[in-house]
Amino acid sequence: MEVCYAVKKVRLIGKDGSMIGVVAIDEALSQARKIDCDLVKVKDGNPSICRIMAHDEVEKKDRISKIQEQMKSLKIIKMRSEIDPHDLKNKLNLAAKKLKKGHPVRFHVQKTDKRDLLFREVINTIHEELIETGIGHTLDSLNELYQQPAVLLSPFPLHEERKI
């Protein structure tokens, strides 16, 4: 999102979402300032589309877009529960590098044994190498991780409360 200054006329959308129409940029800025809001460019075009938004809405949308941008860089690592220990170590090293760069990582572990012994060993290794060392963070407990085929790790510490 950008503040509109480089264009002469804009298609203006009000704070409540109503279409105001095509107006000069100076008029759009004065309308936004009257109600103590920001003028934000939503889409380029002829004329550009701008919206009057409250300051906190702009900050919230910026935070959401940053989170969405990071989630686009989600690294998915697939493996089977009967993975060779050396290959597992390589995948854990790759995940640690991604987590240290600030990207989330998801492990998909396909169960190949009926008793889940190998699956539990792989989950324990992921837990010991990445979660207990503080490189990756998850809201799930170890018992919850045993129930799921996927382990999602965040590079940032997470709150203990789950937000629904």
Side-chain angles (χ1 to χ4, degrees), residues 113-162:
D113 61 331
K114 292 183 180 179
R115 292 178 289 152
D116 294 339
L117 295 176
L118 296 174
F119 177 77
R120 285 180 174 260
E121 285 180 28
V122 170
I123 296 297
N124 283 335
T125 306
I126 292 171
H127 193 268
E128 289 168 5
E129 296 287 326
L130 297 176
I131 298 171
E132 288 181 2
T133 57
I135 297 171
H137 305 277
T138 184
L139 288 175
D140 299 325
S141 69
L142 191 56
N143 286 332
E144 290 173 322
L145 293 177
Y146 290 145
Q147 307 301 318
Q148 305 168 8
V151 178
L152 179 63
L153 299 177
S154 168
F156 310 109
L158 303 169
H159 300 291
E160 291 300 317
E161 304 101 33
R162 290 184 190 213

Side-chain angles (χ1 to χ4, degrees), residues 4-104:
C4 299
Y5 291 116
V7 293
K8 294 181 181 180
K9 290 194 174 207
V10 295
R11 184 174 307 275
L12 187 61
I13 301 172
K15 185 177 178 182
D16 59 352
S18 62
M19 178 66 74
I20 296 174
V22 178
V23 297
I25 186 69
D26 297 330
E27 183 182 336
L29 284 168
S30 67
Q31 285 185 20
R33 288 184 184 131
K34 277 182 193 174
I35 56 174
D36 195 32
C37 289
D38 290 330
L39 185 64
V40 179
K41 184 190 291 185
V42 178
K43 188 175 180 182
D44 286 327
N46 192 9
S48 295
I49 300 174
C50 292
R51 182 180 200 129
I52 297 175
M53 298 177 78
H55 303 296
D56 57 338
E57 285 182 50
V58 174
E59 291 173 5
K60 181 179 177 184
K61 289 205 182 260
D62 284 342
R63 279 195 313 270
I64 290 171
S65 65
K66 285 179 185 177
I67 290 169
Q68 287 173 341
E69 188 63 36
Q70 282 187 329
M71 290 310 289
K72 286 181 184 175
S73 66
L74 174 70
K75 176 68 178 169
I76 299 174
I77 299 175
K78 295 181 180 181
M79 65 182 83
R80 302 180 90 167
S81 61
E82 58 191 26
I83 188 170
D84 184 61
H86 176 71
D87 293 335
L88 178 58
K89 188 70 174 168
N90 286 340
K91 290 185 184 261
L92 291 172
N93 288 338
L94 174 68
K97 286 179 186 175
K98 290 290 184 182
L99 287 165
K100 287 177 182 176
K101 287 183 180 178
H103 303 289

